[in-house]
Amino acid sequence: MGVQGLTGFLEERGTFFTELRVRDTKLVIDGSSLYHRLCFASAADFRRGGDYGLFAAAVRDFFGSLRACRVAPFVVLDGGRGAEDRKLPTLRGRAAERLRAAHGLSRGEGGCLVPLLAREAFVQALGRLGVPFVQCFAEADREIAGLANRWGCPVLSLDSDFCVFDLAGGYCPLSHFQWQSVCAGDGPSGCYVPALCFSAARFCRHFGQLDRSLLPLFAAMNGNDYLDLAALEAFFSKAPLPRGCAAGKGGRHGRLRGLLGWLAQFAEPAEAVDSVLKYLRKHQREEIRALLCAAMEDYTPSDANLEDFFQSGKYECEAARKADLPQWVRDALAKGKLAPFISDALILRSTFLHVQVENMQRPSAHSTALPIRQVIYGLLLKGSHNTEAAPPSKQTNELPVVCEFDRLQKTLKKTFVQAASLPTDFCDDHFLLDKLMEVPMSHRQMLLLETLGVKMSILESIPSHLQLLVAVTCYWIRCSEPKVKLHQLKALLLMVVSGELHRITNEPDPTVLCAEDDSIAYNEFLKWKEKNLQNQGFDLDAAHSFCQWQCCLQMGLYLNQLLGVPLSEPDLSRRLYSGTLVHRLYQELKSTPSVENLFCLSPKMSQLYQILLNTVES
């Protein structure tokens, strides 16, 4: 994320930061940077699909450190790709990188890969902790900068774009934010988080009194997530840049240093742009001028007032208004009650399906959840048959078409998918998306259950917070190819029961007495884990099957949210899925069937396991 090469350059020099004691302040946090950072720091098992409980614990500890230092956090998350879809080439590149990382992990190589449901787990954890957050309509950077400047407080992120924004309270890189080493402090001021803050003044002085207003032009010319202009190669090869920045000269950051040194001769951006254009062919100049000016605008803090959202829950954004989305959809997106996947499908007719560590010789794990996605597309695009995303050969289709980016073996490929035809309640001539919440809840619940292929009557014996999970598991059993093995199903259900046991013993409901046998069973389970979770092998086919389950759960969650939550949402942040544990249980069940009795010391948990198993098998 951010300006190409800038983070590495800043880290290498180390002289552009000042020490900061973070306490007694508001703090605007780049949510996307934070959840990636905490995910990678939480010892998650990237190869086996993640450990959301460990991740949620890291989120809880992070905000606990802030609370101890009287820091008021406000988390701002990226939304969808936006109507202009300007980052599409960058996002395709990142998807290809993710695919390479997943393939490497599947072969036993090292690496990190954010688990499929990490973002959903993060949003749920924020809600449970009572941390204020907003999900922007598109990229959040400008709105983060606008909110931080309104309050005069720092921005916490891992995105070097924030070195370019003019921030009143400064930019603190997450890599130097020592939240795990809170200092006691001296005197009445109390404890604080040691941090470093980027000093734009030091940075500009280093390059001969470079004017700060030229930093956005530097970012645009050097290349960022929005712009990587091949046309500027003519400038870099001809312009007299100081200290040599042609390929192979000036070290790893030669071009970056040379460009900053060259820009220091100008008083303001317009003068510098005019000089750049002299090195380009005449027919390219006005187009490049427009692109550079648009790219510089990206570093102007937004005037969207997020303070209003945090005070009154109202999020007003010009791009969202232009997209002409129903008000309830805009509100749900801002509150994180609908995922960016939904806005991308609705506005762009295009979605990215994130790869996991799966068997690359098989069809993508997302194939299993295709019928659920088609129902989502049908609901979103009903009454709007503009098939703009479709190739000419598909534009005669009656139903809308969505372009999906997914893997085909080890390459990224786009596929055109037709939306599902919906039941009568949802497809008469008067039904439109803005009327969806007016459809009776019982009808919305029926559509959800019919999509997943289950009846409400079989879910009635299941605790309400697990009903959607069980319905998705029934769907997974029915639709997965190859078929789910019985040991895989049992391992998954035992893992769910272990999460329930953890919840009732570690986060007890004050209205329900935790039985002594539950505590004993939990302690025995912890002993079993300590003894059995080390040095386990890796079964790629089992991993593929559990990836399919996560894909089904993700789309089950999204459909449930779109329909206004007819079934309670299962809480991922409460140890709902642990890849390390489910893989170990699967291996143990193959060799030691008695592991199925792991929770026999707790009658309540044994009964829950049996109910779950009987329901899914029925």
Side-chain angles (χ1 to χ4, degrees), residues 218 221-222 232-247 249-250 253-266 275-276 279:
F218 151 70
M221 292 181 66
N222 192 62
L232 287 178
E233 287 307 315
F235 163 81
F236 283 110
S237 63
K238 295 174 188 172
L241 305 188
R243 300 175 65 181
C245 76
K249 294 183 182 176
H253 302 293
R255 171 180 287 201
L256 184 148
R257 286 202 314 272
L259 176 58
L260 285 161
W262 183 83
L263 286 169
Q265 66 186 295
F266 300 104
S275 187
V276 169
Y279 294 94

Side-chain angles (χ1 to χ4, degrees), residues 495-506:
M495 176 198 66
V496 171
V497 171
S498 76
E500 286 296 289
L501 185 57
H502 174 86
R503 184 176 63 83
I504 63 173
T505 50
N506 288 273

Side-chain angles (χ1 to χ4, degrees), residues 96-388:
E97 283 169 22
R98 187 183 167 96
L99 185 46
R100 285 191 289 274
H103 180 53
L105 282 162
S106 74
R107 297 173 56 183
E109 297 165 13
C112 295
L113 189 71
V114 174
L116 185 68
L117 298 170
R119 194 182 198 280
E120 283 70 39
F122 181 65
V123 168
Q124 288 182 341
L126 293 178
R128 279 212 303 135
L129 294 167
V131 175
F133 73 94
V134 64
Q135 180 173 274
C136 292
F137 182 68
E139 176 98 0
D141 290 9
R142 294 183 63 228
E143 286 168 81
I144 288 171
L147 182 63
N149 279 350
R150 183 175 281 267
W151 286 337
C153 69
V155 166
L156 183 66
S157 178
L158 254 186
D159 185 341
S160 58
D161 278 328
F162 289 108
C163 297
V164 178
F165 280 99
D166 192 356
L167 297 173
Y171 157 56
C172 296
L174 260 163
S175 49
H176 295 289
F177 191 79
Q178 299 176 55
W179 63 271
Q180 289 167 303
S181 306
V182 169
C183 295
D186 39 13
S189 299
C191 59
Y192 62 87
V193 177
L196 294 181
C197 186
F198 173 71
S199 168
R202 283 189 186 183
F203 184 73
C204 289
R205 270 200 308 273
H206 181 78
F207 293 99
Q209 298 301 331
L210 172 71
D211 192 276
R212 203 189 189 306
S213 67
L214 289 156
L215 290 182
L217 178 58
F218 151 70
M221 292 181 66
N222 192 62
N224 60 18
D225 286 354
Y226 287 119
L227 203 61
D228 188 5
L229 284 176
L232 287 178
E233 287 307 315
F235 163 81
F236 283 110
S237 63
K238 295 174 188 172
L241 305 188
R243 300 175 65 181
C245 76
K249 294 183 182 176
R252 196 155 64 100
H253 302 293
R255 171 180 287 201
L256 184 148
R257 286 202 314 272
L259 176 58
L260 285 161
W262 183 83
L263 286 169
Q265 66 186 295
F266 300 104
E268 46 89 31
E271 183 189 351
V273 169
D274 287 340
S275 187
V276 169
L277 297 179
K278 288 174 188 171
Y279 294 94
L280 307 183
R281 292 178 179 173
K282 284 185 179 176
H283 71 274
Q284 293 179 309
R285 290 176 184 175
E286 289 315 305
E287 182 191 355
I288 300 300
R289 184 194 298 278
L291 287 169
L292 288 174
C293 289
M296 287 191 283
E297 279 294 308
D298 291 328
Y299 294 100
T300 308
S302 166
D303 51 11
N305 190 351
L306 287 187
E307 186 176 36
D308 276 357
F309 176 83
F310 288 119
Q311 288 174 350
S312 65
K314 286 190 178 146
Y315 173 75
E316 289 299 328
C317 155
E318 189 183 347
R321 279 195 299 274
K322 279 184 182 171
D324 198 26
L325 301 186
Q327 188 62 49
W328 77 265
V329 173
R330 280 163 35 194
D331 291 344
L333 285 167
K335 291 172 182 173
K337 292 179 178 177
L338 289 175
F341 175 90
I342 296 294
S343 60
D344 287 346
L346 181 56
I347 295 163
L348 298 173
R349 313 285 172 90
S350 168
T351 56
F352 276 87
L353 304 175
H354 292 301
V355 71
Q356 302 169 81
V357 182
E358 48 196 87
N359 188 335
M360 300 290 167
Q361 300 309 311
R362 290 200 174 143
S364 163
H366 287 285
S367 307
T368 309
L370 174 60
I372 309 177
R373 293 198 301 280
Q374 288 175 300
V375 172
I376 292 172
Y377 301 151
L379 285 167
L380 291 173
L381 304 174
K382 172 69 184 77
S384 177
H385 293 314
N386 170 13
T387 50
E388 193 179 316

